[in-house]
Structures are given as structure tokens and as C-alpha cells.
């Protein structure tokens, strides 16, 4: 997970991910175009390697072209690790409210 | 005829498990119902056979097995059967590739979902679905627990 946070802690890399979110399957050349004024091809390559090492990008060879796709699975893992806890509290609060209003013990059923 | 696009999803996850366990988790209802939101996957996994995702008595997804090479490759067509905006779209194609990571106890699972039509509603539905399924699958295989609301 360190690699994911390090990879995301850079504006240029987040922009690259934004481009792949809009349209997946881009080659290195296509990814360099929008950044032509601000980044060299070498810099884009370096960022792509960091993103790939963090598993935020999946690459697929299509003939002689290497295509890049956004892989949101590690970001989802971050969400489930911290955000789900808060959802749990909200859901528990709702079931407690439901039990109180209906006079039934939904908690007992849930744990059965 | 609707126009197909080359839009696709390629999602990857790395799971500490064996190809055999991962294969079982992808192909057996006793496992899918534990990490796939209570859905049973039903098929004999012979090429050309039907493949279904069933929840309760309702078929959610209907497809046909395109390839089933145990522990390495599974591929099927995928059509939403529940009446939604996207159920009128033609079937799409799912490919699941299992690759052991050399020198580790980790297996790489690559999910590729293709054959979407232009302006596909199905594409939008699927985009958020796979990451949730893959996180849940990873947790299930690595800890034996299901992601949910347990403490």
C-alpha cells in the first residue's frame, strides 16, 4: 500500500491516471501528447513505471503496441479499509433505530 | 446493428493464494456466494455450455463458456438478464487470466471485459462493479473472511 500512496502523491501521475480514466488503452506516445508542453517522454515513462509498480496501471500488449489501462483495484482496497468502517456505523445506527421502532432484534438475526 | 467499440476494462489484482484455489473461487457457487454478494455461479464449465449468475431464484447474468482451461484461463459471454436500461444491449465478453508470480506465493488475476457497444450503459455499470468484486475476492481468499459489515 506504500507504493500506491507514493504513486498518488504526485500531481503529474494523478493527471496521467485522469487521462486513462477518461479513455483507457493509450500507448506511451498518446499519453505524452497532452503533456508535451510540460514533460519529456522520459518523464512520462518514469511516471508510468511508478504507477505500474503500484499496480495502478495494467499494461497489455496489442501487437507491437503497449497499451495502458487504469487499474482502480488498489484504490478500492483503500476505500474498503477505511471508509467501510464508517458505513458500518451508519448501518448499525440504522438497524438500532429499526429495532427500537419495530421492537424487533435485527442484530440477533444479522449475527445468526 | 449497434456499433461495438474497443473500450474495455483491464483490472488486475494480486492475491496470496494458489491458482487452484483461485480457480475454485471463480467457478464454484459455494465460493462465489461468499464473496460475490450472495450470487451463485452455475455452469459445468464446458466450452459452449451456459454460465449463469443466480441470486435466489433470479438469473442476474446469462452467458456462454468460451474457454475454460483449469487454473489458467476462463472466458465467457456476459449478458445482464435483469430488466435494466442495459439489459437490451448485446452480450459482452469477460476473460479471467490466472498467472502465478514467479518466486512468490502470489497469483495475478487479470480481468478483461470487452465488446461494449457505443454509449453503453452496461459499461458504466461494470466499471465500478469489478473493483468491488476483486477486493472482496482477495479478502475472501487471503483471510477467509468476507468484506462486509462485520467488526
Amino acid at each position: 500500500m506504500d507504493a500506491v500512496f507514493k504513486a498518488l502523491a504526485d500531481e503529474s501521475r494523478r493527471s496521467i491516471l485522469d487521462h486513462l480514466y477518461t479513455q483507457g488503452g493509450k500507448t506511451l506516445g498518446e499519453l505524452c501528447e497532452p503533456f508535451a508542453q510540460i514533460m519529456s517522454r522520459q518523464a512520462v515513462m518514469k511516471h508510468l513505471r511508478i504507477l505500474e509498480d503500484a499496480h495502478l496501471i495494467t499494461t497489455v500488449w496489442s501487437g507491437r503496441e503497449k497499451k495502458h489501462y487504469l487499474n482502480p483495484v488498489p484504490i478500492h482496497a483503500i476505500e474498503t479499509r477505511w471508509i467501510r468502517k464508517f458505513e458500518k456505523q451508519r448501518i448499525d445506527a440504522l438497524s438500532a433505530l429499526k429495532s427500537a421502532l419495530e421492537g424487533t432484534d435485527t442484530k440477533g438475526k444479522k449475527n445468526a | 446493428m449497434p456499433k461495438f467499440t474497443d473500450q474495455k476494462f483491464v483490472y488486475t489484482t494480486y492475491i496470496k493464494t494458489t491458482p487452484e484455489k483461485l480457480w475454485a473461487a471463480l467457478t464454484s457457487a459455494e465460493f462465489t456466494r461468499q464473496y460475490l454478494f450472495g450470487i451463485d455461479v452455475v455452469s459445468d464449465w464446458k466450452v459452449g455450455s451456459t454460465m449463469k449468475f443466480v441470486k435466489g431464484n433470479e438469473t442476474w447474468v446469462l452467458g456462454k463458456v468460451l474457454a475454460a482451461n483449469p487454473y489458467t484461463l476462463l472466458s465467457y459471454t456476459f449478458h445482464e438478464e435483469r430488466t435494466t436500461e442495459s439489459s437490451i444491449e448485446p452480450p459482452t465478453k469477460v476473460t479471467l487470466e490466472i498467472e502465478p508470480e514467479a518466486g512468490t506465493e502470489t497469483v495475478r488475476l487479470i480481468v478483461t471485459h470487452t465488446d461494449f457497444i457505443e454509449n453503453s450503459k452496461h459499461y458504466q455499470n461494470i466499471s465500478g462493479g469489478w473493483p468491488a468484486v476483486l477486493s472482496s475476492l482477495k479478502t475472501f481468499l487471503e483471510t477467509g473472511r468476507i468484506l462486509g459489515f462485520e467488526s
Side-chain angles (χ1 to χ4, degrees):
Chain A
M1 199 166 266
D2 284 355
V4 178
F5 282 108
K6 277 180 193 156
L8 290 173
D10 180 278
E11 176 58 35
S12 305
R13 288 196 285 273
R14 291 194 297 270
S15 300
I16 291 173
L17 292 180
D18 287 337
H19 278 275
L20 291 176
Y21 175 71
T22 316
Q23 175 76 61
K26 290 193 171 165
T27 61
L28 172 63
E30 287 165 340
L31 278 169
C32 284
E33 276 169 33
F35 301 105
Q37 302 299 317
I38 48 167
M39 262 194 277
S40 66
R41 192 179 170 90
Q42 283 71 24
V44 175
M45 273 174 79
K46 192 193 81 184
H47 287 314
L48 287 175
R49 198 174 317 121
I50 293 169
L51 289 167
E52 200 176 344
D53 288 347
H55 305 153
L56 287 164
I57 283 182
T58 303
T59 56
V60 177
W61 283 95
S62 167
R64 291 171 61 186
E65 291 188 321
K66 189 181 186 184
K67 296 192 167 182
H68 301 75
Y69 292 86
L70 171 67
N71 182 42
V73 180
I75 298 172
H76 195 274
I78 292 170
E79 183 197 321
T80 51
R81 180 160 165 182
W82 285 290
I83 297 176
R84 287 288 173 94
K85 279 188 195 168
F86 301 104
E87 280 179 20
K88 178 188 181 301
Q89 285 173 359
R90 206 164 57 222
I91 286 159
D92 281 355
L94 282 174
S95 9
L97 177 66
K98 184 177 158 68
S99 326
L101 291 174
E102 296 179 352
T104 54
D105 182 8
T106 52
K107 257 211 149 98
K109 265 185 220 158
K110 200 180 75 178
N111 296 333
Chain B
M1 271 296 281
K3 201 174 160 202
F4 287 91
T5 67
D6 58 1
Q7 268 184 321
K8 64 174 164 182
F9 293 106
V10 185
Y11 287 164
T12 312
T13 188
Y14 294 79
I15 307 176
K16 283 192 195 72
T17 189
T18 63
E20 291 77 11
K21 283 183 189 161
L22 179 52
W23 178 265
L26 296 172
T27 54
S28 315
E30 71 175 287
F31 298 117
T32 59
R33 76 175 68 112
Q34 295 183 65
Y35 70 84
L36 193 62
F37 322 119
I39 292 172
D40 282 13
V41 68
V42 181
S43 179
D44 64 8
W45 300 112
K46 291 187 178 128
V47 172
S49 291
T50 56
M51 185 288 306
K52 283 191 225 175
F53 287 178
V54 181
K55 182 147 182 177
N57 293 322
E58 198 185 3
T59 298
W60 282 24
V61 172
L62 181 62
K64 196 168 260 186
V65 180
L66 300 172
N69 307 337
Y71 324 129
T72 57
L73 175 78
L74 189 63
S75 179
Y76 43 79
T77 61
F78 187 103
H79 183 257
E80 284 185 66
E81 292 295 303
R82 286 186 304 161
T83 311
T84 62
E85 261 185 298
S86 57
S87 61
I88 53 165
E89 295 180 14
T92 52
K93 184 177 156 190
V94 173
T95 303
L96 301 147
E97 292 165 86
I98 300 171
E99 290 175 1
E101 285 279 291
T104 69
E105 289 169 10
T106 304
V107 177
R108 183 181 188 211
L109 173 65
I110 307 151
V111 178
T112 311
H113 204 140
T114 57
D115 294 14
F116 294 95
I117 57 166
E118 276 188 334
N119 303 314
S120 169
K121 286 277 183 294
H122 183 44
Y123 183 82
Q124 291 168 21
N125 297 347
I126 292 297
S127 65
W130 278 116
V133 169
L134 295 180
S135 294
S136 181
L137 170 65
K138 180 179 163 73
T139 306
F140 171 68
L141 282 169
E142 292 184 350
T143 66
R145 284 189 308 122
I146 43 168
L147 281 182
F149 308 111
E150 79 274 27
S151 314

